[in-house]
Amino acid sequence: MHDPDAVIDVTGVFDYRGTTPVYFLRGDIEFEQNGNTVNVLRTTYDNAFDRTLIGTADLDGNRLVIKL
């Protein structure tokens, strides 16, 4: 649920795991948050040699919609 009054901090390293054949990547993604702006600092892959993803977006309440 979208809560425009939410205060969140997504700074940190998060583990991701794809669950479908199309999205099978596994690894870590690191976020840095300054105010409402979130930056992707780095990504790692457990099962691929893809390039590091980058991106920046602003939080919208408790939602982060970001293109990497």
Side-chain angles (χ1 to χ4, degrees):
M1 175 167 190
H2 177 77
D3 180 357
D5 297 321
V7 177
I8 62 171
D9 185 355
V10 300
T11 298
V13 178
F14 298 88
D15 180 64
Y16 62 88
R17 301 278 174 237
T19 57
T20 66
V22 177
Y23 302 107
F24 64 92
L25 290 175
R26 298 184 313 268
D28 296 319
I29 186 166
E30 183 176 359
F31 294 105
E32 170 189 65
Q33 182 175 339
N34 294 305
N36 282 337
T37 302
V38 177
N39 299 302
V40 175
L41 298 180
R42 69 175 178 85
T43 52
T44 64
Y45 302 96
D46 294 343
N47 62 336
F49 297 103
D50 291 350
R51 63 189 163 101
T52 295
L53 302 176
I54 58 171
T56 299
D58 290 330
L59 288 168
D60 180 11
N62 62 352
R63 294 186 62 204
L64 176 64
V65 179
I66 190 168
K67 290 185 179 184
L68 301 172

